[in-house]
């Protein structure tokens, strides 16, 4: 065997080893890119398997999964070796000398012509370095691996996979999320109704939920904290209960109506033409006060209704009534919150609708009521404004011409059940005074909710007063 | 046993001989450098050439000059419709022997020469044309039941005029396939025309110098066959020939033109011509091995007369050259 042939064989072997290595690197990189891309596409998949750390190992597992196909598809073949040799001839302009010499060198016997081919090829390959002539060349697939990996890491870091799993499976939000949502609604209600204790409780609950989410602590720990909170709320509700208060036996709606009427009554007292300083209010104002049913009932209870009321006494009475009504509403809200937290603590899956703080007090109070259809006071709901269509209302009532049923007025507790029905064409059977009174009450509640600009409040009050004074019409 | 140095010497000698031949022919023939190279390649490969070109381009002059340079016997046969086979091969004549008895004696025809110029071969009848078949393929003729060997080297250079088709007999496919190359003589360029005018209207040039003899040609023929051919290069040639066939099963790389316009593709003889010519080209270039470029360069002369095109190709004016050029562009060197 000639020296030229030996030398060439070594050079060819080096070239082919380098090309094989490049192929292996290229295959691995492309495989990694495909694996990461697949991991991004299949991002929610690990969420369905309760294996620790699976989400971080997905690219590796996918890579192992697709590796056989890739390594088989891009395996090194004889054709690749031939292609490398032809490429060598092309780059160095050897006119296929290298390819011919490579083939001839694998034969057992050679002749003088073959040796000449070896010689000429060796001369032209003097100083040939495969790595220099054929450096690594990265394709776009290789360059895409890095960005894909970063994207995948970012998606995992921001837990996009978990949120996707939750969305796709329709799973309920975590306990902390539910508590957070509940606390925000509680605060919203407390702010709108001026319930200080409930507001504090809502803030405290929100802190608790946020802390749990930030520290990623377990649900069990949160349940323990919620149980403690529930006890605290129960204690606060009990301590706030006023035995002598009239409000304990009132329904939630009655209390809310009373609050609205108290506000309206206070405004009546502030009218400039009110007889300030006199010992007794004029009969006209007393009549107006009497048109506020809840307030009238409370005045009747106290047997203080009459012309002997002076403005100062009336003011102090209104303050006391408002304080009691607000305190009772606050207490009921706290109790509802406590019940909700207890249920959460027990099951962690408390049904939201049954514990909606916006319905606080109704369950407790109305449960003792008769089985009539209850009227929702939607004007109290957050975000609810007059004139807006309500999507959460009661089922449509398709009764006759009668659209409101009132209870009997007299001593003792009474319940008024309003049934809203679809307006039907024809003459109304309700008196204008009655209708105007209802609308005025609703308007007063809206005025109290501070959504109405201060400058317009007076105009609205005057408008409803003018309606009442305009006299009955058909 | 030959050494590497011997091989280098003979390759160098082949290259130098070709250069000298080209130089000598250049004194008589203006231009046509590629054509001269291809004729010489056919000669050292032992093949025959079919020269096609309009009258007056120097076909006959080229062949005659070649005979002079090679110091080989040269004969010319002007093919006409009334030419008989015996006019080419020779015939037995009734003569008197020295004792006075009447005997038949074989009188060799013009085919008994080293280089035979079959001028305007398509003007003779098919019967006469076929008289050349045995001579071209077997290098022998049979007259009166007796086989007569032709001299070696033997080469037929036939010419035909592509424009005068009236009164001609197109060569049968079997005979066309026996030509190693089909070469086209192109009309000279402006400069070449000027040089032709100078050369032919002045004093005639001195006699051509002998460059190569018959023995030298036979030796070179052997050298050509010893040029090594890499498998991948051979496979490229094979795929090129296969791709001339419209049949899809045999034609993996076939171009759309070949599939549409070719009735029959190249015969295996076309592949032999292609590879042998590529080897000769490598040798004349002073290279001990065949390259892809050698294959590509020899594709047109080797295969252009071996593609049988259909009527659609005729109607659309598609020639074999166009199809082969498309194949070269589409068939990859390495599969």
């Amino acid at each position: 065997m000639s020296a030229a042939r030996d030398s060439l064989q070594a050079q060819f072997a080096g070239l082919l080893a380098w090309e094989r290595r490049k192929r292996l690197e290229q295959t691995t990189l492309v495989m990694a890119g495909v694996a990461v891309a697949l991991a991004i596409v299949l991002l929610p998949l690990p969420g369905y398997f309760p294996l620790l750390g699976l989400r971080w190992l997905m690219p590796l597992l996918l890579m192992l999964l697709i590796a056989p196909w890739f390594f088989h598809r891009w395996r090194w073949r004889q054709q690749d070796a031939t292609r490398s040799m032809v490429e060598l001839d092309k780059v160095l302009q050897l006119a296929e000398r290298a390819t011919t010499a490579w083939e001839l060198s694998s034969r057992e016997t050679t002749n003088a012509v073959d040796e000449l081919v070896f010689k000429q090829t060796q001369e032209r390959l003097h100083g040939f370095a495969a790595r220099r002539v054929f450096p690594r060349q990265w394709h776009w697939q290789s360059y895409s691996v890095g960005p894909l990996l970063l994207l995948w890491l970012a998606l995992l870091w921001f837990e996009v996979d978990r949120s996707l799993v939750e969305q796709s499976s329709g799973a309920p939000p975590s306990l902390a999320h539910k508590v957070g949502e509940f606390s925000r609604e509680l605060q919203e209600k407390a702010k709108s109704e001026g319930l200080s204790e409930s507001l504090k409780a809502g803030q405290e609950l929100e802190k608790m939920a946020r802390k749990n989410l930030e520290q990623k602590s377990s649900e069990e720990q949160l349940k323990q904290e919620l149980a403690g909170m529930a006890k605290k709320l129960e204690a606060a509700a009990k301590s706030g209960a006023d035995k002598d208060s009239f409000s304990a036996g009132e329904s939630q709606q009655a209390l809310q109506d009373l609050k609205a009427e108290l506000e309206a009554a206070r405004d009546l007292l502030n009218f400039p033409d009110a007889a300030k300083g006199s010992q007794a209010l004029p009969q006209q104002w007393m009549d107006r006060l009497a048109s506020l049913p809840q307030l009238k009932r409370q005045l009747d209870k106290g047997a203080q209704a009459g012309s002997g009321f002076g403005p100062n006494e009336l003011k102090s009475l209104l303050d006391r009534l408002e304080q009691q009504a607000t305190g009772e509403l606050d207490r009921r809200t706290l109790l509802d919150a406590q019940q909700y937290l207890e249920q959460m603590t027990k099951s962690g899956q408390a049904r939201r609708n049954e514990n909606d703080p916006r319905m606080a007090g109704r369950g407790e109070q109305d449960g003792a009521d008769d089985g009539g259809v209850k009227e929702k006071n939607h004007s109290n709901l957050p975000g609810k404004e007059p004139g807006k269509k309500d999507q959460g209302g009661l089922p449509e009532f398709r009764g006759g011409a009668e659209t409101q049923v009132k209870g009997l007025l007299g001593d003792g507790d009474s319940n008024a059940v309003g049934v809203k029905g679809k307006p039907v064409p024809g003459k109304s059977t309700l008196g204008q005074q009655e209708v105007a009174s209802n609308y005025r009450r609703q308007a007063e509640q809206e005025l109290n909710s501070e959504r109405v600009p201060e400058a317009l409040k007076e105009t609205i009050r005057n408008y409803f007063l003018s309606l009442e004074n305009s006299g009955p019409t058909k | 046993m030959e050494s590497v140095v011997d091989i280098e010497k003979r390759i160098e000698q082949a290259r130098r001989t070709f250069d000298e031949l080209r130089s000598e022919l250049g004194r008589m023939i203006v231009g046509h450098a590629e054509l001269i190279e291809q004729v010489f390649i056919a000669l050292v490969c032992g093949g025959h050439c079919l020269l096609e070109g309009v009258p007056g381009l120097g076909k006959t002059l080229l062949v005659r000059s070649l005979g002079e340079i090679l110091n080989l016997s040269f004969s010319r046969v002007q093919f006409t419709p009334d030419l008989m086979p015996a006019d080419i091969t020779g015939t037995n004549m009734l003569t008197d022997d020295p004792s006075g008895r009447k005997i038949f004696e074989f009188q060799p025809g013009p085919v008994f020469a080293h280089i035979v110029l079959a001028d305007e071969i398509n003007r003779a009848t098919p019967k006469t044309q076929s008289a050349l078949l045995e001579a071209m393929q077997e290098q022998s003729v049979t007259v009166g039941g007796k086989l007569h060997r032709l001299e070696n080297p033997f080469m037929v250079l036939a010419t035909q005029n592509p424009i005068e088709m009236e009164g001609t007999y197109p060569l049968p496919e079997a005979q066309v396939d026996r030509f190693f190359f089909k070469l086209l003589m192109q009309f000279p360029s402006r400069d070449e025309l000027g040089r032709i005018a100078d050369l032919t209207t002045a004093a005639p040039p001195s006699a051509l110098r002998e460059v190569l003899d018959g023995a030298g040609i036979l030796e070179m023929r052997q050298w050509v066959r010893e040029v090594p051919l890499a498998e991948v290069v051979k496979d490229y040639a094979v795929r090129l020939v296969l791709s001339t066939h419209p049949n899809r099963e045999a034609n993996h790389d076939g171009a759309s033109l070949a599939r549409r316009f070719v009735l029959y593709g190249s015969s295996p003889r076309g592949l032999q011509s292609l590879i042998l010519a590529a080897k000769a080209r490598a040798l004349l270039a002073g290279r001990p091995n065949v390259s892809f470029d050698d294959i590509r360069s020899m594709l047109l002369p080797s295969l252009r007369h071996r593609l049988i095109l259909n009527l659609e190709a005729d109607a659309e004016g598609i020639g074999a050259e166009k199809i082969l050029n498309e194949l070269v562009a589409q068939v990859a060197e390495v599969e």
Side-chain angles (χ1 to χ4, degrees):
Chain A
M1 195 178 283
S2 69
R5 180 179 170 176
D6 290 344
S7 167
L8 277 179
Q9 279 184 332
Q11 281 186 310
F12 292 150
L15 170 67
L16 294 181
W18 171 243
E19 288 296 325
R20 288 182 76 146
R21 182 174 163 181
K22 283 200 306 184
R23 166 71 64 87
L24 186 66
E25 290 173 356
Q26 189 73 22
T27 307
T28 310
L29 265 176
V30 172
M31 204 166 61
V34 172
V36 176
L38 278 175
I40 291 171
V41 173
L42 304 173
L43 202 62
L45 190 65
Y48 296 104
F49 301 98
L51 293 174
L52 189 66
L54 181 63
R55 57 200 292 263
W56 296 102
L57 294 174
M58 272 301 277
L60 196 61
L61 291 175
L62 288 169
M63 205 165 147
L64 289 174
L65 200 68
I66 60 177
W69 185 84
F70 267 88
F71 283 122
H72 175 74
R73 175 76 179 78
W74 288 355
R75 68 188 180 278
W76 186 261
R77 289 174 288 192
Q78 183 67 18
Q79 265 182 324
D80 298 311
T82 306
R83 200 169 281 120
S84 301
M85 286 300 157
V86 170
E87 190 62 26
L88 175 67
D89 280 320
K90 288 266 177 293
V91 171
L92 299 182
Q93 296 182 336
L94 299 179
E96 279 67 59
R97 281 185 179 86
T99 308
T100 311
W102 175 63
E103 279 188 16
L104 295 175
S105 66
S106 62
R107 293 181 188 169
E108 289 182 2
T109 56
T110 54
N111 56 26
V113 181
D114 300 345
E115 290 297 333
L116 179 62
V117 176
F118 294 149
K119 185 187 169 201
Q120 289 193 355
T121 309
Q122 192 196 19
E123 286 169 359
R124 285 163 174 79
L125 286 180
H126 182 70
F128 165 73
R131 291 183 184 220
R132 184 164 43 82
V133 178
F134 299 109
R136 286 186 180 90
Q137 286 181 334
W138 304 117
H139 303 291
W140 64 269
Q141 296 101 323
S142 312
Y143 288 113
S144 65
V145 175
L148 280 174
L149 195 63
L150 286 177
L151 174 65
W152 173 74
L153 283 172
L155 290 174
L156 281 198
W157 183 257
F158 291 111
E159 299 192 336
V160 176
D161 53 337
R162 286 183 174 151
S163 61
L164 284 174
V165 170
E166 283 173 5
Q167 281 176 13
S168 62
S169 63
S174 69
L175 186 60
H177 283 109
K178 283 195 286 188
V179 171
E181 189 186 351
F182 174 75
S183 67
R184 280 188 290 278
E185 289 178 2
L186 183 62
Q187 288 180 66
E188 195 179 343
K189 174 184 166 62
K191 277 179 191 168
S192 67
E193 296 183 6
L195 312 177
S196 59
E197 291 299 321
S198 299
L199 183 63
K200 282 181 195 167
Q203 288 169 344
E204 208 166 330
L205 273 174
E206 191 178 8
K207 273 185 194 169
M208 200 180 289
R210 197 180 298 141
K211 186 181 163 192
N212 181 270
L213 284 174
E214 284 172 358
Q215 296 182 351
K216 298 179 181 175
S217 47
S218 67
E219 280 203 355
E220 286 305 315
Q221 189 180 341
L222 182 61
K223 280 183 181 178
Q224 287 175 4
E225 291 175 4
L226 289 179
M229 187 68 188
K231 283 178 185 170
K232 197 172 163 185
L233 292 181
E234 190 179 9
K238 280 179 182 171
S239 68
D242 186 356
K243 300 287 181 189
D244 300 329
S245 169
F246 72 93
S247 56
E250 293 293 329
S251 71
Q252 182 81 6
Q253 184 61 49
L255 286 173
Q256 284 170 343
D257 288 350
L258 177 62
K259 275 195 77 176
E261 289 173 9
L262 284 169
E263 194 67 29
R266 203 183 299 281
D267 291 338
L268 287 175
L269 288 174
N270 290 336
F271 280 162
D273 51 349
K276 288 182 181 175
S278 63
Q279 288 302 313
L281 287 168
Q283 186 59 38
Q284 183 188 0
W285 301 115
M286 288 306 291
D287 290 345
R288 286 183 181 174
L289 281 174
S291 69
L292 304 173
Q294 294 296 339
L295 182 57
K296 184 173 180 299
R297 199 154 56 85
Q298 296 304 328
L299 293 176
D300 290 345
K301 269 188 186 177
Q304 290 174 331
S307 57
F309 258 134
N312 292 333
E313 287 83 357
L314 187 57
K315 271 186 181 175
S316 94
L317 174 64
L318 294 181
D319 287 345
R320 187 165 54 82
L321 283 174
E322 187 172 9
Q323 197 177 358
Q324 285 179 356
T326 306
E328 181 59 21
L329 282 173
D330 206 2
R331 192 181 70 83
R332 290 182 184 183
T333 308
L334 287 175
L335 278 174
D336 274 353
Q338 177 247 333
Q339 282 180 0
Y340 176 74
L341 292 181
E342 276 180 356
Q343 281 188 21
M344 295 268 274
T345 310
K346 284 174 189 168
S347 64
Q349 298 292 326
R351 289 176 61 193
R352 191 69 201 87
N353 290 340
E354 292 173 1
N355 299 281
D356 193 338
R358 290 173 295 193
M359 298 290 286
R362 293 183 64 86
E364 181 191 71
Q365 194 65 29
D366 296 348
D369 293 346
D370 57 18
V373 182
K374 298 160 191 165
E375 178 186 358
K376 283 187 177 180
N377 188 357
H378 294 286
S379 60
N380 279 345
L381 298 181
K384 173 72 181 139
E385 291 175 15
K388 277 200 172 178
K389 189 177 178 183
D390 183 12
Q391 295 178 346
L394 290 167
E396 189 178 73
F397 177 72
R398 296 181 180 274
E402 205 69 53
T403 56
Q404 191 169 27
V405 179
K406 289 195 74 176
L408 293 172
L409 289 175
D411 292 338
D413 293 340
S414 68
N415 292 308
V417 180
V419 179
K420 286 188 175 175
K422 191 175 181 180
V424 291
K427 291 180 179 177
S428 171
T429 56
L430 291 176
Q432 185 192 4
Q433 188 69 30
E434 210 171 348
V435 174
S437 172
N438 283 340
Y439 279 123
R440 187 171 57 79
R441 196 165 62 244
Q442 286 179 20
E444 281 161 356
Q445 286 171 350
E446 291 299 328
L447 289 173
N448 291 335
S449 68
E450 298 180 357
R451 288 195 188 89
V452 181
E454 200 61 41
L456 294 176
K457 282 185 178 178
E458 198 60 36
T459 311
I460 293 169
R461 284 193 190 97
N462 290 337
Y463 170 72
F464 281 103
L465 281 173
S466 68
L467 283 180
E468 286 181 12
N469 294 333
S470 63
T473 55
K474 281 189 180 179
Chain B
M1 186 176 171
E2 285 180 313
S3 67
V4 174
V5 178
D6 296 334
I7 302 297
E8 278 182 312
K9 277 182 184 170
R10 81 184 189 195
I11 289 177
E12 177 57 27
Q13 185 187 338
R15 194 186 60 76
R16 199 171 53 242
T17 302
F18 175 61
D19 286 345
E20 287 175 12
L21 181 137
R22 192 164 45 191
S23 170
E24 276 302 300
L25 275 180
R27 290 172 53 208
M28 298 296 291
I29 310 290
V30 177
H32 303 301
E34 191 181 9
L35 186 93
I36 290 169
E37 182 193 39
Q38 288 164 351
V39 168
F40 190 63
I41 285 173
L43 178 68
V44 296
C45 289
H48 311 284
C49 286
L50 177 62
L51 293 172
E52 188 173 279
V54 294
L57 291 183
K59 295 187 291 289
T60 310
L61 177 65
L62 170 69
V63 177
R64 199 177 63 230
S65 303
L66 195 65
E68 287 179 33
I69 287 172
L70 298 177
N71 192 24
L72 298 173
S73 59
F74 167 77
S75 67
R76 172 180 174 169
V77 184
Q78 185 67 43
F79 278 55
T80 55
D82 58 351
L83 190 74
M84 299 302 288
D87 297 334
I88 299 171
T89 59
T91 186
N92 288 325
M93 302 285 288
L94 191 62
T95 56
D96 296 331
D97 66 356
S99 61
R101 286 190 305 147
K102 297 288 183 188
I103 56 166
F104 279 103
E105 188 182 22
F106 179 67
Q107 294 293 317
V111 78
F112 284 85
H114 291 112
I115 295 178
V116 177
L117 172 60
D119 213 1
E120 295 189 281
I121 190 171
N122 57 340
R123 291 205 173 275
T125 59
K127 183 180 178 182
T128 309
Q129 289 171 358
S130 64
L132 270 177
L133 277 176
E134 186 185 359
M136 287 171 68
Q137 187 65 29
E138 309 296 334
Q139 276 193 244
S140 63
V141 291
T142 306
V143 178
K146 190 176 176 185
L147 185 77
H148 302 275
R149 287 279 170 199
L150 299 177
E151 291 181 77
N152 210 6
F154 173 71
M155 183 185 194
V156 174
L157 285 156
T159 68
Q160 66 177 11
N161 184 348
I163 54 170
E164 288 181 37
M165 301 307 290
E166 196 176 347
T168 62
Y169 302 90
L171 289 172
E173 307 303 337
Q175 191 163 347
V176 171
D177 196 42
R178 278 171 169 75
F179 283 102
F180 188 80
F181 277 168
K182 179 183 180 184
L183 307 174
L184 304 181
M185 290 203 80
Q186 305 294 340
F187 196 81
S189 65
R190 182 177 171 180
D191 289 344
E192 287 170 349
L193 267 179
R195 283 165 54 202
I196 288 170
D198 293 341
L199 193 67
T200 55
T201 56
S206 57
L208 294 174
R209 182 171 60 89
E210 181 187 329
V211 173
L212 191 64
D213 58 6
I217 290 171
L218 293 178
E219 195 178 26
M220 284 181 75
R221 282 184 183 178
Q222 192 177 343
W223 294 350
V224 165
R225 291 176 181 270
E226 287 178 11
V227 172
L229 172 72
E231 275 296 318
V232 64
V233 181
K234 184 179 75 184
D235 184 59
Y236 178 58
V238 169
R239 282 186 291 115
L240 277 172
V241 170
L242 273 180
S243 64
T244 61
H245 289 259
N247 178 6
R248 283 175 182 242
E249 287 178 11
N251 173 13
H252 301 294
D253 302 313
S256 56
L257 285 182
R259 281 201 292 267
R260 188 174 165 196
F261 295 116
V262 176
L263 199 61
Y264 297 107
S266 167
S267 65
R269 203 179 270 142
L271 177 66
Q272 293 165 6
S273 297
L274 179 61
I275 289 177
L276 210 52
K279 285 185 172 190
R281 184 176 185 267
L283 182 70
L284 298 185
R287 206 165 355 97
N289 66 289
V290 180
S291 70
F292 289 118
D293 199 40
D294 293 329
I295 298 286
R296 278 189 289 269
S297 298
M298 295 295 107
L299 189 71
L300 281 181
S302 298
L303 299 189
R304 64 159 61 104
H305 55 296
R306 291 186 164 99
L307 300 189
I308 301 173
L309 307 184
N310 58 23
L311 285 175
E312 194 182 353
D314 262 352
E316 299 207 10
I318 302 290
E321 284 83 3
K322 189 168 185 176
I323 294 169
L324 290 170
N325 283 329
E326 194 196 44
L327 291 179
V328 167
Q330 291 199 356
V331 176
E333 290 176 349
V334 185
E335 198 175 22

